Amino acid sequence: MPGDWHSKPRGSSHAPEDAAQMRLSVASRCSPTAVENGKRPARPGVVTSVYHPDEPAGILCQIGLNILPGSANLIPMSTSRETVPSMPARQTIFCDGTSRARHMPPSPEYLLTQVTDEQALDTLREQWPALATQHRYPSAFLTHQWLDAAWQWQSPDTRLRLVTARPGDRLIAACPFVARRRHRYGITFRALEFLSVPDTQECDILCIRDHESDFASSLADLLVTGLTDWDLISLNLLREDAYALQILPDVLTKAGLHTSIDKVASNPSVPLNSSWQDYYRTRSRRLKKGNNLIANRLQRKYQDIQIRHFRPGTDDKDTIHRCVEQLTDLSASSWKGRDTQNTFDQPGPRRFLKRLMQRMPEINGLSIWLLELDSTPVASELQLSHEGTISALRSDFRQELGKDSPGTYLNWKLLERMFDTDNQVYRMGPGSNAYKARWSVQDLPLYRLTVFNNTLAGRSIRLMETRIKPVLRKLRQTTDRSSLS
């Protein structure tokens, strides 16, 4: 692979040539300091990218002192282009022609990679654990295993746009993004969002702490001048201590992008650092009375009541296969089967569950709970455990047995068993309702960071979200108060 490199200073105003020629796929990795005879090396204020269309792993962007283009077909129209004679004709150098980063202070040299397919995602498997363990907080939903499974769910019109950063060979940051078309307020726009599924409980951009500030500046540059085919970025399910929430907003605002932060949900949770007796003593009399009525009803109606616990990777494959089929059947027979397309018998969720069963045993993080009444599975809960946190992914029960409350009984009994483990907290999943409120002790707030691009669609959505919609909301509230009085 060639190591030579030629760069132009910023400010060139030549328009790019044929757009079809701009649609190259993958960058060839070259040293930014390599200099061929008489050619100038990269220096502050000069950004250079070498693109190679035959590599299978994604889109790479080699950085000098400022991070800019992520893909040839994403570079602004002020870009200049030059073919390097010493390289094969298919290799082309692109230099950004804008001037916004001229006075930026030097930042570490990063290699940005845009991962766009499953094969390239799999190449990150070995390096991902080191990145995840050095992130601000541990989370099962930021592991490679979870994201790999989540990608299996996605619809065909969703494109993988996972951006990684490396100074050399070390993976120091990853933005698990997907791109899709959205429609809102009669506007069709291009959105970047986290790679997630309805069972995801939290998201974030992963970054090693020592690189947080530098990578934020580099990502802002990329979004403004390199990765430009987006109108809105919606980063949902962010914890209060999330990197994307704590670091990005100020940096993106300074880069000229408009942002907004909204609280979108909370994740009810139960601390497990006491005894079950001490915890249950704090629950309401109404809850305890209801539990006793359910237990008495089940004991009168059924002769055999069993709660079974399975762990993929520990139990034998035949047992887990049978358990997955029972889980799928319960999911399809629950209320979700009537009101949503998220049950495990659907193609996307089924692919997700299959990959989850394959990958999660690598970190011993998956468990399945089943309630059987007279040897018939009637309720289930799928759980994820990681670094002392148990996350309830989903609970299902047979709709026709709703009057017997099998789901409530299972949740009561498995929560009791959680207190006998080494885990610190049990999270019930985003969303508040009366049932969760009876059990939960504290709520983990979750936020959404929205970033508006300066495109026509981006400005239109921002106008609706930040100006027109709040005014309409106030008018509605005023009208409602007037009607009540």
Side-chain angles (χ1 to χ4, degrees):
M1 194 173 291
D4 295 331
W5 175 275
H6 178 65
S7 62
K8 283 187 175 182
R10 298 175 183 274
S12 299
S13 58
H14 303 296
E17 298 177 16
D18 180 18
Q21 293 178 315
M22 300 281 285
R23 295 182 179 276
L24 308 180
S25 60
V26 184
S28 171
R29 184 173 179 182
C30 302
S31 169
T33 57
V35 184
E36 194 180 0
N37 295 331
K39 292 180 180 178
R40 294 168 296 185
R43 63 181 188 277
V46 176
V47 178
T48 324
S49 307
V50 182
Y51 293 84
H52 191 304
D54 297 334
E55 297 286 347
I59 300 175
L60 304 184
C61 174
Q62 177 67 53
I63 305 306
L65 292 178
N66 297 302
I67 294 186
L68 283 171
S71 164
N73 60 320
L74 303 179
I75 297 177
M77 291 302 291
S78 57
T79 301
S80 62
R81 163 181 176 152
E82 177 177 346
T83 302
V84 180
S86 62
M87 294 184 179
R90 67 171 182 258
Q91 291 187 329
T92 307
I93 289 180
F94 295 86
C95 305
D96 181 82
T98 63
S99 59
R100 68 168 301 278
R102 280 183 181 174
H103 305 294
M104 288 181 63
S107 60
E109 175 190 308
Y110 291 134
L111 179 71
L112 290 190
T113 307
Q114 183 172 262
V115 174
T116 58
D117 58 46
E118 186 175 341
Q119 180 183 359
L121 177 62
D122 191 60
T123 64
L124 301 174
R125 183 187 292 212
E126 292 185 3
Q127 286 191 311
W128 199 277
L131 170 62
T133 55
Q134 296 181 70
H135 185 61
R136 288 173 158 238
Y137 52 85
S139 174
F141 303 100
L142 300 180
T143 61
H144 189 274
Q145 289 85 351
W146 177 265
L147 294 171
D148 180 22
W151 175 243
Q152 309 307 311
W153 185 314
Q154 306 305 308
S155 58
D157 60 345
T158 301
R159 293 172 294 148
L160 186 62
R161 298 290 290 276
L162 191 151
V163 178
T164 65
R166 290 182 175 87
D169 294 329
R170 183 189 182 199
L171 182 65
I172 62 95
C175 307
F177 291 163
V178 294
R180 53 170 59 97
R181 295 273 176 173
R182 292 293 193 189
H183 305 275
R184 195 181 305 168
Y185 312 120
I187 304 169
T188 300
F189 58 94
R190 302 162 299 176
L192 289 178
E193 302 169 358
F194 279 129
L195 172 56
S196 64
V197 296
D199 303 282
T200 299
Q201 294 193 10
E202 58 193 22
C203 300
D204 202 1
I205 294 173
L206 290 91
C207 187
I208 292 175
R209 280 187 172 272
D210 292 345
H211 293 263
E212 285 187 344
S213 297
D214 291 323
F215 177 66
S217 299
S218 301
L219 180 61
D221 273 342
L222 182 67
L223 294 174
V224 170
T225 56
L227 193 67
T228 56
D229 64 337
W230 62 277
D231 302 305
L232 181 142
I233 301 176
S234 181
L235 304 183
N236 209 0
L237 299 178
L238 297 169
R239 292 167 34 161
E240 284 183 321
D241 55 347
Y243 167 78
L245 193 64
Q246 293 293 322
I247 304 295
L248 279 189
D250 289 343
V251 177
L252 295 176
T253 299
K254 291 176 182 177
L257 296 171
H258 294 273
T259 64
S260 68
I261 299 173
D262 304 286
K263 182 180 177 181
V264 292
S266 60
N267 195 344
S269 60
V270 178
L272 302 175
N273 51 9
S274 63
S275 67
W276 165 254
Q277 291 76 15
D278 290 341
Y279 162 73
Y280 199 58
R281 194 178 298 120
T282 66
R283 299 302 89 196
S284 68
R285 183 179 179 182
R286 177 183 179 184
L287 174 65
K288 297 172 185 176
K289 183 179 179 180
N291 289 342
N292 291 334
L293 288 173
I294 293 170
N296 292 334
R297 185 187 308 124
L298 293 178
Q299 289 169 2
R300 289 195 303 268
K301 191 172 182 179
Y302 302 96
Q303 295 182 356
D304 185 29
I305 301 174
Q306 296 288 337
I307 295 178
R308 304 189 184 278
H309 184 206
F310 303 93
R311 297 186 68 90
T314 302
D315 295 297
D316 64 87
K317 291 184 178 180
D318 290 339
T319 299
I320 295 302
H321 177 74
R322 185 169 60 254
C323 184
V324 168
E325 292 302 316
Q326 293 171 340
L327 197 67
T328 302
D329 181 58
L330 284 170
S331 178
S333 64
S334 71
W335 63 269
K336 299 184 186 76
R338 183 185 67 248
D339 298 340
T340 75
Q341 297 295 313
N342 297 333
T343 53
F344 285 141
D345 60 323
Q346 299 296 319
R350 190 173 185 87
R351 292 193 302 268
F352 163 76
L353 180 62
K354 180 180 179 180
R355 184 61 61 90
L356 203 65
M357 293 293 171
Q358 293 171 348
R359 293 293 314 277
M360 273 302 169
E362 296 173 12
I363 56 175
N364 196 30
L366 199 63
S367 25
I368 303 169
W369 294 84
L370 288 176
L371 170 64
E372 295 181 355
L373 300 179
D374 291 343
S375 301
T376 301
V378 298
S380 65
E381 179 163 303
L382 181 63
Q383 291 181 349
L384 209 54
S385 60
H386 186 68
E387 299 289 337
T389 297
I390 300 176
S391 301
L393 297 183
R394 62 169 63 191
S395 301
D396 291 306
F397 62 89
R398 293 194 179 280
Q399 187 70 21
E400 64 270 21
L401 298 179
K403 292 183 179 180
D404 293 336
S405 304
T408 300
Y409 182 82
L410 176 62
N411 182 254
W412 168 25
K413 291 303 179 180
L414 69 83
L415 181 56
E416 182 176 353
R417 298 188 187 188
M418 295 296 102
F419 281 83
D420 294 330
T421 68
D422 295 330
N423 294 289
Q424 283 86 51
V425 64
Y426 171 76
R427 291 182 179 160
M428 308 178 75
S432 299
N433 56 47
Y435 176 76
K436 290 181 180 180
R438 296 188 189 110
W439 289 104
S440 66
V441 175
Q442 57 192 30
D443 288 344
L444 177 71
L446 297 169
Y447 299 86
R448 177 178 57 237
L449 170 64
T450 306
V451 186
F452 304 94
N453 204 352
N454 293 315
T455 59
L456 178 59
R459 293 196 303 270
S460 300
I461 295 292
R462 181 167 66 91
L463 178 64
M464 291 296 300
E465 291 281 351
T466 63
R467 300 289 182 86
I468 297 177
K469 195 173 177 180
V471 170
L472 293 177
R473 187 182 298 115
K474 288 183 179 180
L475 289 174
R476 188 180 302 113
Q477 292 172 350
T478 302
T479 303
D480 291 342
R481 285 195 297 267
S482 299
S483 60
L484 291 174
S485 60

